[in-house]
């Protein structure tokens, strides 16, 4: 792990401060392949342990964050139910940075500009450790699901489903 300050993202700083055990893994992205499944294979990780962070807006205009396995899709009905909203929709890509302080492909559930209500897909409970973005493209953070839950004040809920063609 490198100790150069500039490689430390907000997410990494926050996890360090909390004294939670974690790992940081980096992967090459010059090939432009930064989707979760590619990242999982570059890290040599089972995709069931690698999670993506999705930022959404409820009917009430409240922002919610959902952290789900990379091979799955957010089931909007279940997502809405989990947070008590009538409906949920994905935000526009152009809104990711102003809302989170991160960029698309490097959006970590930890250390966003504001603390948004966060839901971690219940499948995470079956994993000893899950991998989420460390806050920049090319960098993943390995952490126990319960530690991530505590850190982001998240809740577990079944919100991920099989991708529909």
């Amino acid at each position: 792990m490198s100790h150069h300050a500039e490689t430390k993202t907000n997410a990494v700083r926050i996890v360090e401060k909390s004294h939670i055990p974690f790992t940081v893994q980096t992967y090459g992205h010059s090939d432009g392949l930064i989707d979760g499944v590619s990242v999982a294979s570059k890290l040599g990780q089972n995709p069931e342990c690698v999670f993506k962070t999705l930022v959404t807006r409820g009917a009430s205009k409240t922002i919610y964050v959902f952290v789900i396995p990379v091979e799955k899709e957010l089931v909007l009905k279940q997502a809405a139910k989990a947070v008590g909203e009538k409906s949920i929709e994905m935000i526009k890509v152009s809104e990711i940075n102003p809302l989170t302080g991160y960029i698309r492909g490097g959006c970590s559930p930890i250390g966003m500009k504001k603390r948004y209500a966060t839901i971690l897909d219940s499948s995470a409970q079956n994993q000893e450790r899950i991998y989420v973005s460390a806050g920049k493209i090319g960098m993943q953070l390995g952490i126990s699901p319960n530690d991530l839950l505590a850190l982001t004040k998240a809740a577990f809920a079944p919100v991920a489903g099989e991708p529909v063609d």
Side-chain angles (χ1 to χ4, degrees), residues 93-112:
V93 172
S94 61
E95 296 181 277
I96 293 174
N97 185 254
L99 286 172
T100 67
Y102 292 125
I103 61 165
R104 182 185 181 195
C107 192
S108 179
I110 304 162
M112 289 190 179

Side-chain angles (χ1 to χ4, degrees), residues 97-125:
N97 185 254
L99 286 172
T100 67
Y102 292 125
I103 61 165
R104 182 185 181 195
C107 192
S108 179
I110 304 162
M112 289 190 179
K113 269 188 181 170
K114 282 170 75 173
R115 193 185 270 291
Y116 299 115
T118 301
I119 297 285
L120 184 52
D121 183 60
S122 356
S123 70
Q125 292 170 281

